[in-house]
């Protein structure tokens, strides 16, 4: 039994709550079934437990080092990357023709959740390669596909996403790395620099394939002039250096096992980049793959929160301290701290965050699979817009709450949690990256309120409304849970109406509280997931041989969420109804 | 100019808001004046900037090491400890007869705030010595005082508080270290072990003086059988080892420069402890010094939050990224990120938390000085009970919010904040200890709701009520700020009434949400402090030569707090009015 995630919960979520086996009704997934899905999950559990987990602490303590211009990482990663390739993890979702298994993203992401919970740093490597290969196979020429993807699929070459530059972090329109056309069509000399490139250089593979954003010389300003290039570290056929130099290695607070590089491109005028698709389409291509990446980051966050929850739960069950508050007899032995209501509160908080967020992420993943393979255009559009709306929420809520959830894990252990004797302090440090990378929470707030909610006359929100209303109508389970949810749902609709009216007051005021609106939507959507899970658990609990302890736990955790977390909607709503704007009015010189 | 705290704000808080110079009207402080207070603060700024600050990063990266049973720390600490002694910091609050300066605790804690903001690890050493010496001089015999305190005051010997044991963390009643009487009166053989002892061993001083809790053999069970001992590492006169062995050194997530030791006492039956005061009075003595210690920890938390705020503010003013949301012309240069409303929101959040918490801590400190020196018994009792009520709030709110505030500092810097290139990630790691040590937040919740609020028929709450009502009545300033505060104040009173009625339902239900009630009181009290600061700033702003930028910043930050933070009272109130108790009902086997 793996102790870093709940296999029972993951099975409940996939098969009881979301019935993902029904995906096999779609032609692309027709060879799959519950059995093949279970095999995939078991295989992930094996590699996670046997290969990734044993390196969790070591990879944190023995950080990568920059030596003579190359980054050395933990030697244990090399066989792991090979194994990922050999076992078919990297291209699992791709078609049979591409050597893939036509696995749904839902299962790919669920398997990833297991790997990430085991050892987040180690899990980063193959997911980046999958993302990079996915861009090449989707938008690149067949020549590029044939030249680069097979060794990426094999786990021999690392893929990266090279977006950020020193003067262009959240503001991608300002990137200045430039591609100069050469005499060879599709080949450009690249010059510039990139920072914060995850797995941007390391010694556990033979080559690094950067999917790099850059401007073709003379391209229009802003996001419309950005192109996408394949920029390898070494020229595949010759093994010659492609003049991509590792200028620096960042030392980070957490997930130290994964190296983050600062790269100089074309310092000696020798870097060749291979254009993917057409010029000036780079950001568009990148954004078509963003939903996977962003749901992936949400999944990272929830996986770490889950691992921290499991560690603090195990401690709370074993650690004796104090007595029940009703027990005054000091000669009685101390009780495990899980008997104290405040400790149970911290555990319920974590359980409600990580299981509720996991449900939302798997819901979004299933929607992604359905969207990709939906044959009817109108339905495809509806599903797509709901997915677009849910993506910033499903990325940001688990990321922000993952910070608080791992903090609660530390608190359950008390002083022990602050020491390196237990893994929770590492989880706490690792969790802090997720509100930052793959778009900060502030950026996702703007994306949701400034863009997603208006697409196609608000079709995404309409789809969300219909989905929630449908679940409310069909709900069967404890009445108190429904009532609390329904109250907050009405308050959310009312607040959304109020905030949309503020669009008339200009973008600065309208968007000033976009992060808070995003937070409100996060609480609402995870509350919705708890309503759905309660419904499912309530149907199961009366059956013969039901796992009543597990199902009672589900329902009581839903009740916790509705009682303790959902009321945050009312506090955010109170703020969002106000017409005072201190964050707009404050002057920089008043600070 | 020190860049790790706002001197302007500290002066405003001490002299404009709290008028601490009026403390000199009390006989004990009669030699003091605004001028002597300012000299103390300048001296603290000097040692903080010149001695502590330069070691901030080094002490984090070069952790203490356990070598041959002794802990080696950063060599820079030895001269600093000497300097603390020579400059009179350690016994500054003590009487002239004791070699002290009769400095108010308010000023001692304000000076500490400066040191802590500069380098939290380094600041820990002298404050522990002060606390330990304070116990000896208050409850110990003159022989003990003469034998131990002079070298502690001189910064040559380190003091510690040795409370926690492997099976007794939050549950002090279960400590089992034992003192066996010897033929010499007042001397006991001590045997046991202590964990998590801050500065419990190091090589920057000549001796370590532990103020240790232990049971005299045969003492009553529980807290009534705990005695307090002075247990030196070396016998002062002979320099012989006192059999206090360093069994281990904890590696922690943060404040790595301060060593935390695991100690074995009397493994060779050779440890002598010297009884402080009377047998079985140890916990009572310790608790009489708790207010100072707990306000001190709150101050640590706010100092780190302040340093992180200053670091993120400086970055936000300098870092260009993106354009104003109303600017569509991409040929315009990027603007500093402080121009974005969401960045201002994160800065206002930090400013409101750290300045509001500082106000509460200094308010409580002044109340402590007034209580100690109040000659009229009835008034002393009133002040004492208000202080008792405020202490868990003033310890916990800054500690819990310090975690979120330093997290916001990381977020302002984005990816840069997650790297060791900037100090905010260190602040984030250091801030996490405060909700744990000197009583966890859960313990303080129980202390507030289970004990403090009932003392003397609720006299503490009555005093709080009177103080807030008085400030509401005399308030002159922007009406919107008063209205929002008044609304939440009424809601808080109503909620306190509701929760007190639950006492009838037995302690488990009554105290299940004690942590939330503590949080509500924290938001309320810091809101109150913002109301008071707004009143003061509003009176100052119309005067000639007023620093209008600073004062407008104060008022706008107050408005931020009332608009964004204070509504949390309504969400907590909603929960506290409920009669569903998932944290009580949840079974341990349902998790």
């Amino acid at each position: 039994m793996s102790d870093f995630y709940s296999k029972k919960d993951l099975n409940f979520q996939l098969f009881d709550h979301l019935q993902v086996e029904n995906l096999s009704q779609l032609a692309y997934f027709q060879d799959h079934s519950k059995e093949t899905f279970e095999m995939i999950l078991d295989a992930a559990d094996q590699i996670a437990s046997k290969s990734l987990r044993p390196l969790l602490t070591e990879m944190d303590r023995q950080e990568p080092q920059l030596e003579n211009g190359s980054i050395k990482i933990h030697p244990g990663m090399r066989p792991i990357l090979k194994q990922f390739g050999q076992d078919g993890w990297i291209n699992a979702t791709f078609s049979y023709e591409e050597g893939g298994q036509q696995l749904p993203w839902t299962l790919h992401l669920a398997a990833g959740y297991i790997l990430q919970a085991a050892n987040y740093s180690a899990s980063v490597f193959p997911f980046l390669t999958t993302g990079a290969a996915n861009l090449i196979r989707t938008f690149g020429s067949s020549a590029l596909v044939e030249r680069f993807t097979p060794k990426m699929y094999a786990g021999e070459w690392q893929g990266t996403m090279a977006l950020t530059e020193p003067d262009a972090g959240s503001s991608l329109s300002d990137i200045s790395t430039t591609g100069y056309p050469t005499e060879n069509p599709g080949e450009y000399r690249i010059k510039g620099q990139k920072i914060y490139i995850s797995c941007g250089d390391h010694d556990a593979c033979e080559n690094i394939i950067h999917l790099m954003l850059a401007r073709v010389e003379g391209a229009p300003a802003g996001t419309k002039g950005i192109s996408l290039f394949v920029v390898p570290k070494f020229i595949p056929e010759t093994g010659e250096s492609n003049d991509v130099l590792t200028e620096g290695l960042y030392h980070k607070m957490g997930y130290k096992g994964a190296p983050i590089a600062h790269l100089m491109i074309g310092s000696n005028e020798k870097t060749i980049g291979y254009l993917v698709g057409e010029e000036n389409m780079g950001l568009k291509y990148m954004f078509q793959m963003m939903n996977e990446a962003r749901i992936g980051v949400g999944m990272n966050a929830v996986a770490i929160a889950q691992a921290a929850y499991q560690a603090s739960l195990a401690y709370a069950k074993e650690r004796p301290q104090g007595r029940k508050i009703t027990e005054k007899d000091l000669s009685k032995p101390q009780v495990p701290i899980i008997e104290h209501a405040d400790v149970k509160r911290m555990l319920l908080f974590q359980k409600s965050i990580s299981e509720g967020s996991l449900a939302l992420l798997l819901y979004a993943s299933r929607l992604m699979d359905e969207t990709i393979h939906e044959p009817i255009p109108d339905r495809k559009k509806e599903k797509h817009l709901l997915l677009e709306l849910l993506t910033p929420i499903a990325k940001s809520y688990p990321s922000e709450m993952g910070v608080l959830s791992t903090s609660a894990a530390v608190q359950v252990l008390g002083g022990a949690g602050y020491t390196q004797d237990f893994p929770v302090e590492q989880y706490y440090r690792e969790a802090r990256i997720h509100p930052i990378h793959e778009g900060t929470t502030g950026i996702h707030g703007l994306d949701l309120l400034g863009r997603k909610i208006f697409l196609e006359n608000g079709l995404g929100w309409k789809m969300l409304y219909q989905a929630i209303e449908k679940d409310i109508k069909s709900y069967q389970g404890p009445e108190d849970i429904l009532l609390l949810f329904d109250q907050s749902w009405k308050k959310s609709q009312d607040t959304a109406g109020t905030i949309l009216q503020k669009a008339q007051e200009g973008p600065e005021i309208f968007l000033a509280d976009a992060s808070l609106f995003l937070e409100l939507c996060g609480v609402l959507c995870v509350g919705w997931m708890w309503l759905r899970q309660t419904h499912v658990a309530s149907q199961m609990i009366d059956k013969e041989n039901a796992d009543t302890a597990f199902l009672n736990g589900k329902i009581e955790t839903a009740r916790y969420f509705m009682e303790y977390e959902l009321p945050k909607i009312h506090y955010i709503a109170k703020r969002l109804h106000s017409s005072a704007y201190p964050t707009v009015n404050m002057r920089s010189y008043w600070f």
Side-chain angles (χ1 to χ4, degrees), chain A:
Chain A
M1 273 285 285
S2 304
D3 62 355
F4 49 84
Y5 77 105
S6 165
K7 187 168 181 159
K8 191 183 276 186
D9 179 58
L10 184 59
N11 282 338
F12 171 85
Q13 302 251 13
L14 287 169
F15 303 117
D16 298 313
H17 174 216
L18 292 172
Q19 301 177 322
V20 294
E21 61 271 30
N22 292 344
L23 283 170
S24 64
Q25 292 165 12
L26 293 165
Y28 189 78
F29 305 126
Q30 66 185 354
D31 294 343
H32 285 288
S33 63
K34 191 174 175 186
E35 286 64 39
T36 65
F37 291 163
E38 284 175 337
M39 279 170 58
I40 292 284
L41 298 172
D42 284 343
D45 189 295
Q46 286 292 312
I47 186 170
S49 306
K50 294 193 178 157
S51 301
L52 273 67
R53 188 69 177 175
L55 297 183
L56 175 70
T57 308
E58 272 183 33
M59 285 179 69
D60 183 61
R61 309 295 142 86
Q62 298 165 28
E63 274 188 79
Q65 299 295 330
L66 179 61
E67 291 173 15
N68 303 323
S70 299
I71 296 175
K72 314 275 178 219
I73 64 170
H74 193 289
M77 275 312 298
R78 182 175 273 264
I80 290 176
L81 292 186
K82 278 262 164 70
Q83 195 185 348
F84 276 126
Q86 282 162 5
D87 293 357
W89 286 108
I90 290 166
N91 56 342
T93 59
F94 303 165
S95 67
Y96 296 139
E97 296 79 57
E98 295 166 297
Q101 300 167 49
Q102 302 199 169
L103 189 70
W105 281 101
T106 310
L107 268 293
H108 184 66
L109 287 158
Y113 166 78
I114 298 172
L115 305 176
Q116 294 145 17
N119 180 339
Y120 170 50
S121 286
S123 77
V124 166
F125 297 77
F127 274 80
L128 283 167
T129 304
T130 297
N134 200 20
L135 276 169
I136 299 176
R137 67 154 198 143
T138 310
F139 303 109
S141 64
S142 57
L144 279 185
V145 172
E146 282 164 30
R147 192 170 175 206
F148 288 103
T149 61
K151 293 230 172 181
M152 294 172 81
Y153 298 159
E156 292 174 28
W157 292 357
Q158 174 70 53
T160 86
M161 298 292 189
L163 283 68
T164 303
E165 298 184 6
D167 296 317
S170 291
S171 178
L172 280 174
S173 57
D174 290 292
I175 70 167
S176 66
T177 294
T178 305
Y180 302 89
T182 67
E183 55 218 27
N184 300 328
E187 293 189 13
Y188 296 68
R189 291 232 172 262
I190 312 280
K191 198 168 164 62
Q193 54 179 315
K194 294 285 175 181
I195 59 172
Y196 303 144
I197 307 308
S198 294
C199 302
D201 184 31
H202 65 81
D203 61 342
C205 64
E206 310 311 322
N207 203 352
I208 314 269
I209 311 303
H210 305 287
L211 273 285
M212 190 176 291
L213 293 182
R215 284 178 193 293
V216 173
E217 193 185 14
T223 52
K224 288 175 189 160
I226 296 175
S227 301
L228 180 64
F229 298 90
V230 174
V231 180
K233 181 180 179 186
F234 299 110
I235 303 295
E237 294 73 17
T238 64
E240 271 175 62
S241 163
N242 192 32
D243 193 17
V244 177
L245 304 180
T246 303
E247 172 76 10
L249 169 68
Y250 293 94
H251 292 280
K252 311 184 300 300
M253 175 159 59
Y255 82 108
K256 298 184 178 213
I260 311 296
H262 177 176
L263 302 176
M264 300 298 294
I265 301 108
S267 316
N268 305 304
E269 316 289 338
K270 289 192 178 154
T271 304
I272 294 290
Y274 307 94
L275 184 70
V276 177
E278 296 173 32
E279 282 187 7
N280 301 334
M281 295 290 285
L283 214 60
K284 204 175 165 195
Y285 296 156
M286 201 60 102
F287 272 94
Q288 284 187 47
M289 298 287 141
M290 275 308 183
N291 290 335
E292 288 89 322
R294 291 176 166 175
I295 290 169
V297 167
M299 197 64 95
N300 294 340
V302 76
I304 295 171
Q306 168 70 198
Y309 164 61
Q310 293 296 337
S312 68
L313 176 61
Y315 185 90
K317 284 181 171 174
E318 284 173 11
R319 168 75 176 165
Q321 190 81 169
R323 287 157 195 84
K324 291 286 283 182
I325 208 147
T326 45
E327 177 62 77
K328 299 295 174 201
D329 181 356
L330 290 172
S331 68
K332 292 278 173 64
Q334 300 195 76
V335 298
I337 59 173
I338 200 169
E339 298 298 329
H340 304 309
D342 198 57
V343 173
K344 282 194 276 184
R345 185 181 60 77
M346 294 187 280
L347 292 170
L348 279 165
F349 171 70
Q350 294 179 70
K351 185 171 158 74
S352 76
I353 296 304
S354 78
E355 295 179 7
S357 298
L358 180 61
L360 180 62
L361 285 156
L362 292 173
Y363 184 95
S365 305
R366 194 188 63 173
L367 188 60
M368 185 161 65
D369 283 316
E370 289 175 359
T371 303
I372 295 170
H373 300 284
E374 172 62 55
I376 304 167
D378 277 358
R379 296 195 62 183
K380 192 180 183 90
K381 190 205 244 180
E382 288 173 355
K383 286 179 172 171
H384 176 66
L385 282 164
L386 178 56
L387 177 63
E388 288 282 304
L389 190 80
L390 288 179
T391 297
I393 301 167
K395 189 272 175 181
S396 302
Y397 182 88
S399 296
E400 290 286 337
M401 298 306 288
V403 171
L404 304 187
S405 191
T406 53
S407 181
V410 170
Q411 192 70 15
V412 167
L413 273 75
Y418 197 69
T419 71
Q420 296 190 347
D421 298 343
F422 292 87
V424 288
E425 66 87 26
Q426 181 178 344
Y427 297 136
Y428 180 68
R429 289 183 283 112
E430 301 198 332
R432 190 60 192 79
I433 190 58
H434 300 304
I436 296 172
H437 67 183
E438 203 54 50
T440 63
T441 302
I443 293 291
H444 285 292
L446 296 177
D447 181 47
L448 178 66
L449 187 58
R451 209 172 73 85
K452 294 292 177 64
I453 214 160
F454 292 108
L455 293 177
E456 303 276 346
N457 291 315
L459 184 58
W461 184 269
K462 191 177 150 199
M463 298 312 300
L464 179 67
Y465 175 87
Q466 287 178 3
I468 294 179
E469 285 289 323
K470 184 166 168 241
D471 287 332
I472 287 176
K473 287 209 177 65
S474 62
Y475 173 85
Q476 291 181 314
E479 271 306 301
D480 62 322
I481 289 175
L482 178 64
L483 279 173
L484 286 169
F485 178 76
D486 197 47
Q487 237 179 43
S488 291
W489 166 227
K490 292 204 168 66
K491 175 68 86 176
S492 303
Q493 293 172 64
D494 168 48
T495 304
T498 299
I499 202 165
L500 287 174
Q501 283 173 6
K502 292 185 182 182
Q504 301 159 1
E505 300 182 42
E508 192 166 17
I509 283 188
F510 174 52
L511 295 172
D513 287 324
S515 297
L516 272 79
F517 181 70
L518 176 65
E519 185 183 348
L520 182 148
C521 291
V523 181
L524 172 71
C525 287
V526 171
W528 169 37
M529 290 298 125
W530 275 113
L531 185 82
R532 290 171 53 96
Q533 290 185 78
T534 307
H535 170 78
V536 173
S538 300
Q539 311 320 302
M540 290 167 73
I541 204 165
D542 294 328
K543 299 215 170 113
E544 218 174 326
N545 298 323
D547 185 346
T548 53
F550 174 79
L551 296 168
N552 275 318
K554 272 283 169 201
I555 294 168
E556 206 61 34
T557 307
R559 185 168 284 120
Y560 168 85
F561 192 89
M562 302 304 176
E563 288 280 340
Y564 286 77
E565 296 304 311
L566 208 59
K568 288 180 181 167
I569 284 178
H570 296 260
Y571 125 71
I572 301 170
K574 192 167 157 60
R575 163 58 215 156
L576 293 181
H577 279 88
S578 171
S579 54
Y581 291 94
T583 67
V584 174
N585 294 336
M586 186 77 177
R587 301 284 147 248
S588 60
Y589 58 93
W590 290 359
F591 278 100

